[in-house]
Amino acid sequence: MGRKKETVTIYDVAREAGVSMATVSRVVNGNPNVKPLTRKKVLETIRRMGYRPNAVARGLASKRTTTVGVVIPDISYAFFAELARGIEDIANMYHYNIILCNSDLKKEKELQLIEALFEKQVDGLLFLGGEVTDEHREIFSGSDIPVVLAATRDEKEKNRPFVTIDQVQAAKEATEVLIREGHRRIGLLGGPLTDPIIGYPRYLGYREALLDNGFTLEEKWIRLGNYRYDSGLKAAKELLGTEEGPTAFFAVNDEMAAGALHAAQDLGKRVPEEISVIGFDNIPLASQIRPLLSTVAVPMYDIGAVAMRLLTKYMNDEPIEKNQVVLEYRLELRDSTRLQGELAH
Amino acid sequence: MGRKKETVTIYDVAREAGVSMATVSRVVNGNPNVKPLTRKKVLETIRRMGYRPNAVARGLASKRTTTVGVVIPDISYAFFAELARGIEDIANMYHYNIILCNSDLKKEKELQLIEALFEKQVDGLLFLGGEVTDEHREIFSGSDIPVVLAATRDEKEKNRPFVTIDQVQAAKEATEVLIREGHRRIGLLGGPLTDPIIGYPRYLGYREALLDNGFTLEEKWIRLGNYRYDSGLKAAKELLGTEEGPTAFFAVNDEMAAGALHAAQDLGKRVPEEISVIGFDNIPLASQIRPLLSTVAVPMYDIGAVAMRLLTKYMNDEPIEKNQVVLEYRLELRDSTRLQGELAH
DNA sequence: CTGTTAGCGCTTTCAA
DNA sequence: TTGAAAGCGCTAACAG
């Protein structure tokens, strides 16, 4: 009593069943080269002895662990949680498990995590959001483990596989919705411009929309936040309180957009009659507030799923026709803009 | 070119540094019994050769993988995402990685996942939400791997470690808020009564509140949903449309509560003047809608963190003073009830 | 269809 | 403080 359970190994099963380890290994791995009767016998003693294959030993011998590493900024963000779900579903479908790591977008942590994942001999790595620096590239290229980027891309190493959407174009189109509505004073609720994944490209799209349509970029209508609801709320309140405040907001994500929407309401302005708001991502929150938030619908689940599927191809040496995929987005115009309906991209 | 990168092993390092494998192993593992000069020399050649320890081999030899399995219903639910964050943070702090698996609360999938995790030789397992059946117990007890439950408990096996809150009591108190406001017709937006973790206990709390306060349980004011916003919205609309509809709702989670709140608003009823709503969990959504949602604040992050910490104690054979912990919750009364302020439990 | 035999890369006594 | 050697449990040729 109290002592460790005896672990039964493939060798024990072999002895009991009166066959060799190799044969047991074959039936465990579904190798067809086993006489049905032998298979039956082995299966029976496996069941009887409660044998459970040791995946670590298998991993060492076969050099495949059937687990993939996933480095993600923060699983508690709806956006990434949904992405992770897409990843895990496909991983599961192909019999992989995922080791999930939150990086908080900190470079040092990312590097350390990637290193740890490589030590654990993951068969592949999915790297989400966060800038790919030379140090990342160095680790990536120092090993044969396939790496695919999801919801981001490497601006420098041009052939690194990725799955994402066209952030700039989407941001531009979202801003243009506001322009088409007749707004002339359009505020930006942005993220850090140092964020090459969200903050910067979506800012670029906003900028392009204004300039292409004959507007000038007004610093005073731009506020950079941290993607959270509160930062959108606060920034919008400030802007709305100024003399010549914006009459519409493009927020680079839905949380901040929701904050802006409520800021307007809290100040007694009606949305969308007086103030229009458009967000980005289409997380559940967008359809859980009133008025319903107009937004750019990003296929979050699909980004994760497609990226994972691509990774499986690398891991199994399947032919790869396209290793960089740009998924489509939609403009989902609900009730926080006067323009409404679903606009195909 | 194109051929596999040569993997450098501990043996290569030993040869190059002119020491034995054992010595290299010692410095890699921080064993103090190494002469400083030797350590320096080894470290140097490790760096020079780009040696990366193989955690799989280490795992096989040492029988510790420093990874723990996490079986969770659905990471895309805000509630579980937040819990997962708590888990991962603490895991990371103790140098463990987590293998994250979504079970969708399906028993068969749970069992298969647990089995796979055990095969992968995880050092411990965190099992979240979902009923613990005899089949679960059989797998759990068939191995020495420590298992702790989070956000749930085992009603039958009385000494299985867990970390959760008192669901029944919390639900009761939430319902009593509505009673104290003077409501006599209180609707329940519940989950499946077959869910022993959320649906059933929170229903029990609602029931107790009514009966203890001299009310009768009215079937017609009870609607069972699937925890999602839409199901709360739909159920509340139906109830509000009936002759003698409820004037207040207790929803067993915030998403459904938000749905109810909007249902009331969509029907032109004011919250909380005409209709009160109280939710459960305190996910971010609760403070991202108007009016702000009153709710039971569940320490989601802490449940995950404490459960993981408890698990580390098991994995490291630390003394355990308390292996079943019931965390405190708070009533966070915001603007969807007339009673307001933060009520300590 | 089945068995034999090397490892996989590392930890861990046990001696020295 | 260091080294030698025996595994950890399994896969993968190879031989038959």
Side-chain angles (χ1 to χ4, degrees), chain A residues 231-250:
Chain A
S231 84
L233 183 79
K234 181 158 167 291
K237 274 197 175 147
E238 286 172 14
L239 253 16
L240 254 15
T242 60
E243 193 63 27
E244 284 266 284
T247 59
F249 290 102
F250 164 52

Side-chain angles (χ1 to χ4, degrees), chain B residues 102-327:
Chain B
N102 296 102
S103 70
D104 291 317
L105 239 34
K106 305 233 181 73
K107 189 178 110 182
E108 284 314 319
K109 196 168 175 192
E110 287 174 357
L111 298 173
Q112 171 235 313
L113 255 16
I114 295 167
E115 188 66 35
L117 258 6
F118 278 13
E119 287 188 7
K120 292 211 168 168
Q121 312 297 124
V122 293
D123 292 338
L125 180 74
L126 243 33
F127 182 75
L128 316 219
E131 187 179 5
V132 180
T133 70
D134 282 335
E135 290 165 86
H136 290 79
R137 292 183 196 102
E138 191 181 330
I139 305 190
F140 291 164
S141 63
S143 124
D144 284 322
I145 299 171
V147 175
V148 354
L149 309 177
T152 181
R153 58 202 297 171
D154 188 335
E155 301 297 346
K156 197 163 151 197
E157 193 197 317
K158 292 305 185 190
N159 51 351
R160 165 70 56 206
F162 66 75
V163 179
T164 185
I165 63 159
D166 186 337
Q167 307 272 3
V168 177
Q169 183 61 24
K172 184 179 177 192
E173 289 183 23
T175 307
E176 282 176 339
V177 167
L178 271 12
I179 293 176
R180 296 214 314 264
E181 283 186 343
H183 291 284
R184 322 240 84 215
R185 306 202 304 266
I186 300 176
L188 171 71
L189 271 14
L193 262 27
T194 50
D195 172 0
I197 310 313
I198 307 288
Y200 190 61
R202 294 186 185 175
Y203 157 78
L204 276 189
Y206 163 80
R207 183 167 184 267
E208 245 179 54
L210 295 190
L211 300 183
D212 283 10
N213 287 275
F215 291 67
T216 54
L217 201 65
E218 299 286 347
E219 291 284 352
K220 63 173 184 273
W221 293 333
I222 296 180
R223 283 288 187 289
L224 304 182
N226 64 358
Y227 305 125
R228 287 302 198 183
Y229 177 88
D230 287 335
S231 84
L233 183 80
K234 181 157 166 291
K237 273 195 176 148
E238 288 173 13
L239 253 17
L240 254 14
T242 60
E243 192 65 26
E244 283 267 282
T247 60
F249 290 102
F250 164 53
V252 300
N253 77 341
D254 290 339
E255 271 201 38
M256 290 201 298
L261 192 154
H262 289 145
Q265 292 180 334
D266 291 353
L267 294 172
K269 314 231 184 199
R270 287 179 311 146
V271 177
E273 293 80 356
E274 300 171 70
I275 303 287
S276 285
V277 179
I278 189 165
F280 206 119
D281 287 345
N282 196 29
I283 60 176
L285 175 65
S287 31
Q288 296 173 348
I289 57 175
R290 295 302 145 92
L292 296 171
L293 185 67
S294 295
T295 189
V296 176
V298 178
M300 301 168 282
Y301 182 93
D302 294 344
I303 292 177
V306 171
M308 184 65 216
R309 178 62 185 109
L310 178 55
L311 187 58
T312 62
K313 291 183 184 170
Y314 277 103
M315 296 187 294
N316 300 317
D317 293 314
E318 294 176 45
I320 291 164
E321 60 298 335
K322 205 156 169 302
N323 74 345
Q324 302 192 324
V325 3
V326 177
L327 259 21

Side-chain angles (χ1 to χ4, degrees), chain B residues 78-89:
Chain B
F79 180 83
F80 292 115
E82 187 65 25
L83 245 145
R85 195 43 157 105
I87 292 171
E88 216 266 328
D89 278 358

